[in-house]
Amino acid sequence: MSETPPTSKRIRVIIADDHPIVRTGLRLMLQMRDTFELVGEAENGAMAVSLVQEHQPDVVLMDLRMPETDGLSALKQIRSQYPQIAVLILTTYNEDNLIMQALRAGARGYLLKDADVEILLRSIERAALGEMLIQPEMMERILAYTDRTSSTHSPKQGELTQKELEVLASVANGERSKEIAKHLGISERTVWAYLTTIYNKLGVDSRASAVAVALERGLLPRKN
Protein backbone atom coordinates (compact mmCIF):
# COMPACT_ATOMS: atom_id res chain seq x y z
CA MET A 1 0.00 0.00 0.00
CA SER A 2 1.24 3.50 -0.74
CA GLU A 3 0.04 5.14 2.46
CA THR A 4 2.78 5.00 5.08
CA PRO A 5 3.61 7.28 8.02
CA PRO A 6 6.60 9.59 7.61
CA THR A 7 9.84 8.25 9.06
CA SER A 8 11.03 11.60 10.45
CA LYS A 9 9.73 12.95 13.75
CA ARG A 10 8.90 16.34 12.26
CA ILE A 11 6.32 16.56 9.50
CA ARG A 12 7.93 18.23 6.49
CA VAL A 13 5.52 20.51 4.63
CA ILE A 14 5.44 22.47 1.37
CA ILE A 15 2.93 25.29 0.85
CA ALA A 16 1.67 26.00 -2.68
CA ASP A 17 -0.51 29.11 -3.07
CA ASP A 18 -0.23 32.10 -5.38
CA HIS A 19 -1.26 34.60 -2.69
CA PRO A 20 1.69 35.78 -0.49
CA ILE A 21 -0.63 36.67 2.39
CA VAL A 22 -2.06 33.14 2.43
CA ARG A 23 1.41 31.60 2.42
CA THR A 24 2.41 33.89 5.28
CA GLY A 25 -0.64 32.89 7.30
CA LEU A 26 -0.02 29.20 6.73
CA ARG A 27 3.66 29.62 7.59
CA LEU A 28 2.75 31.26 10.90
CA MET A 29 0.29 28.48 11.68
CA LEU A 30 2.92 25.81 11.08
CA GLN A 31 5.34 27.66 13.35
CA MET A 32 2.88 27.25 16.21
CA ARG A 33 4.07 23.67 16.66
CA ASP A 34 7.59 22.31 16.56
CA THR A 35 6.27 19.07 15.03
CA PHE A 36 6.15 20.80 11.62
CA GLU A 37 9.01 21.84 9.36
CA LEU A 38 8.29 24.11 6.40
CA VAL A 39 10.70 23.08 3.64
CA GLY A 40 9.41 25.18 0.74
CA GLU A 41 6.83 27.63 -0.62
CA ALA A 42 5.51 27.77 -4.18
CA GLU A 43 3.42 30.38 -5.99
CA ASN A 44 2.25 28.07 -8.79
CA GLY A 45 1.81 24.40 -9.55
CA ALA A 46 4.98 24.01 -11.60
CA MET A 47 7.07 25.41 -8.73
CA ALA A 48 5.26 23.09 -6.31
CA VAL A 49 6.16 20.03 -8.38
CA SER A 50 9.79 21.20 -8.57
CA LEU A 51 9.98 21.70 -4.80
CA VAL A 52 8.44 18.31 -4.19
CA GLN A 53 11.04 16.71 -6.43
CA GLU A 54 13.79 18.52 -4.53
CA HIS A 55 12.60 18.02 -0.94
CA GLN A 56 10.13 15.09 -1.07
CA PRO A 57 8.09 16.34 1.90
CA ASP A 58 5.50 14.45 3.91
CA VAL A 59 2.61 16.81 3.10
CA VAL A 60 1.87 19.43 0.44
CA LEU A 61 -0.75 22.11 1.13
CA MET A 62 -2.05 22.79 -2.37
CA ASP A 63 -4.30 25.58 -3.60
CA LEU A 64 -6.41 24.55 -6.59
CA ARG A 65 -6.45 27.95 -8.31
CA MET A 66 -2.93 28.97 -9.34
CA PRO A 67 -1.39 30.46 -12.52
CA GLU A 68 0.66 28.57 -15.10
CA THR A 69 0.10 25.08 -13.67
CA ASP A 70 -2.98 24.80 -11.47
CA GLY A 71 -3.21 22.79 -8.28
CA LEU A 72 -5.12 19.89 -9.80
CA SER A 73 -2.51 19.37 -12.51
CA ALA A 74 0.28 19.63 -9.95
CA LEU A 75 -1.52 17.13 -7.72
CA LYS A 76 -1.70 14.60 -10.54
CA GLN A 77 2.01 15.01 -11.31
CA ILE A 78 3.00 14.62 -7.68
CA ARG A 79 0.79 11.58 -7.19
CA SER A 80 2.23 9.90 -10.29
CA GLN A 81 5.83 10.46 -9.21
CA TYR A 82 5.56 10.30 -5.43
CA PRO A 83 2.38 8.45 -4.40
CA GLN A 84 3.57 8.31 -0.78
CA ILE A 85 3.42 12.10 -0.43
CA ALA A 86 0.15 13.43 0.98
CA VAL A 87 -1.44 16.34 -0.88
CA LEU A 88 -3.98 18.28 1.14
CA ILE A 89 -6.14 20.59 -0.96
CA LEU A 90 -6.65 23.98 0.65
CA THR A 91 -8.92 26.49 -1.08
CA THR A 92 -11.63 29.11 -0.74
CA TYR A 93 -13.53 27.70 -3.71
CA ASN A 94 -16.54 25.47 -3.08
CA GLU A 95 -16.58 23.97 -6.57
CA ASP A 96 -18.04 20.52 -6.27
CA ASN A 97 -16.67 19.20 -9.54
CA LEU A 98 -13.13 20.21 -8.52
CA ILE A 99 -13.61 18.52 -5.15
CA MET A 100 -14.44 15.25 -6.89
CA GLN A 101 -11.58 15.61 -9.35
CA ALA A 102 -9.08 16.29 -6.56
CA LEU A 103 -10.26 13.34 -4.49
CA ARG A 104 -10.32 11.12 -7.56
CA ALA A 105 -6.73 12.17 -8.29
CA GLY A 106 -5.68 11.11 -4.79
CA ALA A 107 -5.79 14.24 -2.62
CA ARG A 108 -5.59 13.14 1.01
CA GLY A 109 -8.15 15.69 2.12
CA TYR A 110 -9.94 18.91 1.31
CA LEU A 111 -10.16 21.96 3.57
CA LEU A 112 -11.38 25.51 3.15
CA LYS A 113 -8.86 28.25 3.85
CA ASP A 114 -11.02 29.67 6.62
CA ALA A 115 -10.86 26.40 8.56
CA ASP A 116 -9.99 26.61 12.25
CA VAL A 117 -6.23 26.54 12.94
CA GLU A 118 -6.49 23.39 15.05
CA ILE A 119 -8.49 21.63 12.34
CA LEU A 120 -5.85 22.59 9.79
CA LEU A 121 -2.94 21.37 11.89
CA ARG A 122 -4.69 18.12 12.82
CA SER A 123 -5.48 17.59 9.15
CA ILE A 124 -1.81 17.87 8.24
CA GLU A 125 -0.89 15.39 10.97
CA ARG A 126 -3.53 12.92 9.86
CA ALA A 127 -2.61 13.33 6.19
CA ALA A 128 1.02 12.53 7.04
CA LEU A 129 -0.17 9.34 8.71
CA GLY A 130 -1.99 8.20 5.59
CA GLU A 131 -5.46 9.11 6.83
CA MET A 132 -8.16 11.02 5.01
CA LEU A 133 -9.90 14.11 6.28
CA ILE A 134 -12.85 15.89 4.76
CA GLN A 135 -14.79 18.37 6.84
CA PRO A 136 -18.40 17.22 7.45
CA GLU A 137 -19.83 20.20 5.57
CA MET A 138 -17.60 19.39 2.60
CA MET A 139 -18.73 15.75 2.63
CA GLU A 140 -22.34 16.95 2.60
CA ARG A 141 -21.61 19.04 -0.49
CA ILE A 142 -19.95 16.07 -2.18
CA LEU A 143 -22.90 13.81 -1.38
CA ALA A 144 -25.33 16.44 -2.69
CA TYR A 145 -23.24 16.78 -5.85
CA THR A 146 -23.21 13.04 -6.49
CA ASP A 147 -26.96 12.96 -5.88
CA ARG A 148 -27.39 15.50 -8.68
CA THR A 149 -25.09 13.70 -11.10
CA SER A 150 -25.67 10.04 -10.23
CA SER A 151 -28.50 9.54 -12.72
CA THR A 152 -25.98 8.64 -15.41
CA HIS A 153 -24.08 6.23 -13.16
CA SER A 154 -25.35 2.78 -12.27
CA PRO A 155 -24.39 1.50 -8.81
CA LYS A 156 -22.21 -1.59 -8.91
CA GLN A 157 -22.86 -3.02 -5.47
CA GLY A 158 -21.46 -6.39 -6.45
CA GLU A 159 -17.95 -5.00 -6.69
CA LEU A 160 -17.47 -4.90 -2.93
CA THR A 161 -18.54 -7.26 -0.17
CA GLN A 162 -20.79 -6.04 2.63
CA LYS A 163 -17.86 -5.85 5.04
CA GLU A 164 -15.78 -3.92 2.51
CA LEU A 165 -18.66 -1.48 2.06
CA GLU A 166 -18.84 -1.04 5.85
CA VAL A 167 -15.12 -0.30 6.02
CA LEU A 168 -15.38 2.17 3.15
CA ALA A 169 -18.39 3.91 4.71
CA SER A 170 -16.39 4.31 7.92
CA VAL A 171 -13.51 5.80 5.93
CA ALA A 172 -15.93 8.26 4.30
CA ASN A 173 -17.08 9.27 7.79
CA GLY A 174 -13.49 10.23 8.62
CA GLU A 175 -12.78 7.34 10.98
CA ARG A 176 -9.17 6.28 11.52
CA SER A 177 -8.05 2.67 11.14
CA LYS A 178 -8.10 2.16 14.91
CA GLU A 179 -11.62 3.62 15.12
CA ILE A 180 -12.83 1.46 12.23
CA ALA A 181 -11.39 -1.65 13.90
CA LYS A 182 -13.18 -0.86 17.17
CA HIS A 183 -16.41 0.07 15.41
CA LEU A 184 -16.54 -3.13 13.33
CA GLY A 185 -15.04 -5.46 15.94
CA ILE A 186 -12.01 -6.44 13.87
CA SER A 187 -8.27 -5.94 14.18
CA GLU A 188 -6.50 -2.90 12.75
CA ARG A 189 -4.45 -5.25 10.56
CA THR A 190 -7.70 -6.62 9.13
CA VAL A 191 -8.85 -3.07 8.38
CA TRP A 192 -5.70 -2.52 6.31
CA ALA A 193 -6.28 -5.83 4.54
CA TYR A 194 -9.82 -4.76 3.63
CA LEU A 195 -8.53 -1.39 2.41
CA THR A 196 -5.97 -3.11 0.18
CA THR A 197 -8.71 -5.24 -1.37
CA ILE A 198 -10.96 -2.20 -1.81
CA TYR A 199 -8.17 -0.28 -3.54
CA ASN A 200 -7.51 -3.19 -5.90
CA LYS A 201 -11.19 -3.61 -6.79
CA LEU A 202 -11.75 0.10 -7.40
CA GLY A 203 -8.42 0.67 -9.14
CA VAL A 204 -7.22 3.36 -6.72
CA ASP A 205 -4.35 3.81 -4.28
CA SER A 206 -5.70 6.01 -1.50
CA ARG A 207 -8.63 6.39 0.86
CA ALA A 208 -9.75 9.63 -0.76
CA SER A 209 -9.70 8.12 -4.24
CA ALA A 210 -11.65 5.11 -3.00
CA VAL A 211 -14.31 7.35 -1.45
CA ALA A 212 -14.53 9.47 -4.62
CA VAL A 213 -15.00 6.42 -6.86
CA ALA A 214 -17.51 4.88 -4.45
CA LEU A 215 -19.53 8.09 -4.40
CA GLU A 216 -19.51 8.30 -8.19
CA ARG A 217 -20.76 4.71 -8.43
CA GLY A 218 -23.40 5.05 -5.74
CA LEU A 219 -21.71 2.56 -3.41
CA LEU A 220 -21.97 4.70 -0.28
CA PRO A 221 -25.23 5.35 1.57
CA ARG A 222 -26.72 8.83 1.44
CA LYS A 223 -26.93 10.37 4.91
CA ASN A 224 -30.35 11.46 6.02
Side-chain angles (χ1 to χ4, degrees), residues 14 50-51 66 104 116 128-129 139 145 160 172 182 224:
I14 284 176
S50 178
L51 286 173
M66 292 187 290
R104 187 70 175 82
D116 180 84
L129 291 171
M139 180 58 76
Y145 173 76
L160 303 179
K182 182 178 180 181
N224 295 321

Side-chain angles (χ1 to χ4, degrees), residues 32-84:
M32 294 174 65
R33 292 186 187 173
D34 57 12
T35 53
F36 300 111
E37 177 185 359
L38 181 61
V39 297
E41 297 183 26
E43 61 185 28
N44 58 59
M47 186 180 296
V49 173
S50 178
L51 286 173
V52 167
Q53 292 171 338
E54 179 180 355
H55 297 288
Q56 297 191 31
D58 301 307
V59 179
V60 179
L61 297 179
M62 182 80 73
D63 186 17
L64 284 177
R65 299 282 188 173
M66 292 187 290
E68 298 182 35
T69 301
D70 61 30
L72 186 60
S73 298
L75 162 65
K76 292 177 180 178
Q77 291 182 53
I78 293 169
R79 288 288 299 167
S80 66
Q81 297 177 42
Y82 306 99
Q84 78 280 6

Side-chain angles (χ1 to χ4, degrees), residues 159-173:
E159 289 186 354
L160 303 179
T161 67
Q162 183 59 40
K163 184 63 71 173
E164 289 163 356
L165 288 170
E166 292 175 2
V167 169
L168 191 53
S170 297
V171 169
N173 287 332

Side-chain angles (χ1 to χ4, degrees), residues 93-199:
Y93 296 86
N94 295 353
E95 295 182 311
D96 304 325
N97 185 47
L98 280 179
I99 294 174
M100 290 300 298
Q101 289 186 62
L103 293 178
R104 187 70 175 82
R108 196 65 56 85
Y110 197 106
L111 286 168
L112 297 178
K113 289 182 181 178
D114 60 0
D116 180 84
V117 174
E118 286 302 312
I119 291 178
L120 172 66
L121 297 181
R122 284 200 304 270
S123 299
I124 297 173
E125 292 171 341
R126 292 182 63 177
L129 291 171
E131 298 175 0
M132 186 190 80
L133 181 76
I134 302 177
Q135 291 171 284
E137 59 268 30
M138 297 302 291
M139 180 58 76
E140 290 179 8
R141 290 184 62 87
I142 294 170
L143 288 169
Y145 173 76
T146 55
D147 277 353
R148 295 194 302 270
T149 59
S150 60
S151 60
T152 59
H153 298 89
S154 300
K156 300 178 181 179
Q157 299 285 355
E159 289 186 354
L160 303 179
T161 67
Q162 183 59 40
K163 184 63 71 173
E164 289 163 356
L165 288 170
E166 292 175 2
V167 169
L168 191 53
S170 297
V171 169
N173 287 332
E175 294 182 24
R176 309 180 188 188
S177 295
K178 181 181 293 186
E179 295 168 337
I180 296 173
K182 182 178 180 181
H183 173 213
L184 298 181
I186 56 180
S187 70
E188 195 168 348
R189 183 182 296 274
T190 301
V191 171
W192 282 102
Y194 275 124
L195 286 172
T196 299
T197 303
I198 291 169
Y199 293 171

